[in-house]
Amino acid sequence: MPDEYRTVAHAGVHETEVNRSRFLCALAPAATEREAQDFIASVRKEHTDATHNCFAYVIGADAAIQKASDDGEPGGTAGVPMLQMLLRRDMRYAVAVVTRYYGGVKLGAGGLIRAYGGAVGEALDVLGTITRRRFRLATVTVDHQRAGKLENDLRSTGREVRDVRYAEAVTIEIGLPDADVPAFEAWLADVTAGTAGFELGGEAYGDA
């Protein structure tokens, strides 16, 4: 698993014009291939009158799933350059749909490749991206007396507190970069006088 990846900050649309053809690039984050396909279907439904609705998406932190479609444009001139742009920008869990309204001027293969790839690149610049970093999930168990101060200390030192559960003891779920685990364990023992429990869990990705 890579240590980090980038994805689309939020869904949005950016429009460009090339030789009187309108290119509308709709971008969205997509956690699964199904989410990506649902987004593509919704854009197509919105633009049923468009000349083409071409798409590309990359799913998985390791880019395991990659799909692209030219939707009637000459082979390799739309979906592939869109996909290449997503990969060049290290985009993961992201889907792009470029809707073209033909303006009467043929662009040729080179022009199409530049227009479709460029539409995705511009949309990424305008709409923004976020970096998500790999971390370890960890569980801290502490008595009620120390829980409030410990939670405040965790938040004030920039730790990601994901969940707090109150039972006989208080369980606090946090996210930690792998490299920080030994130092965190030492800090935890120090601030709780060795009374806190600490258990490492699996891996996940969170905003950097």
Side-chain angles (χ1 to χ4, degrees), residues 33 35-45 53-57 95-97:
E33 187 170 16
E35 271 188 34
Q37 290 168 346
D38 287 348
F39 180 75
I40 293 161
S42 71
V43 174
R44 282 185 164 154
K45 193 173 177 183
N53 285 292
C54 307
F55 71 78
Y57 58 80
V95 54
V97 184

Side-chain angles (χ1 to χ4, degrees), residues 2 4-8 29-30 58-64 86-94:
E4 62 181 48
Y5 66 84
R6 293 165 72 196
T7 193
V8 183
V58 182
I59 307 296
D62 55 357
L86 290 175
L87 293 170
R88 196 179 307 149
R89 298 289 192 92
D90 291 324
M91 287 291 118
R92 304 290 186 266
Y93 297 105

Side-chain angles (χ1 to χ4, degrees), residues 117-164:
V120 174
E122 279 191 37
L124 289 170
D125 289 340
V126 171
L127 297 172
T129 62
I130 53 173
T131 299
R132 296 180 74 81
R133 219 161 255 149
R134 185 160 61 100
F135 60 84
R136 290 295 293 274
L137 296 168
T139 305
V140 175
T141 310
V142 68
D143 59 45
H144 284 262
Q145 202 176 335
R146 298 177 195 270
K149 182 178 187 312
L150 179 60
E151 188 183 341
N152 286 339
D153 287 347
L154 286 166
R155 293 185 190 279
S156 67
T157 54
R159 302 293 180 192
E160 188 193 2
V161 177
R162 297 169 66 82
D163 191 26
V164 182

Side-chain angles (χ1 to χ4, degrees), residues 15 33 91 102 173:
E15 182 175 338
E33 187 170 16
M91 287 291 118
Y102 183 56
E173 273 189 18

Side-chain angles (χ1 to χ4, degrees), residues 160-194:
E160 188 193 2
V161 177
R162 297 169 66 82
D163 191 26
V164 182
R165 292 190 299 277
Y166 292 88
E168 281 182 35
V170 181
T171 305
I172 303 173
E173 273 189 18
I174 59 169
L176 285 173
D178 260 341
D180 287 5
V181 171
F184 178 79
E185 283 195 80
W187 174 84
L188 183 65
D190 187 42
V191 298
T192 64

Side-chain angles (χ1 to χ4, degrees), residues 22 24 43-53 71 99-102:
R22 292 170 61 213
L24 285 76
V43 174
R44 282 185 164 154
K45 193 173 177 183
E46 188 183 340
H47 297 286
T48 52
D49 58 335
T51 320
H52 306 279
N53 285 292
D71 192 37
T99 299
R100 182 188 183 190
Y101 285 92
Y102 183 56

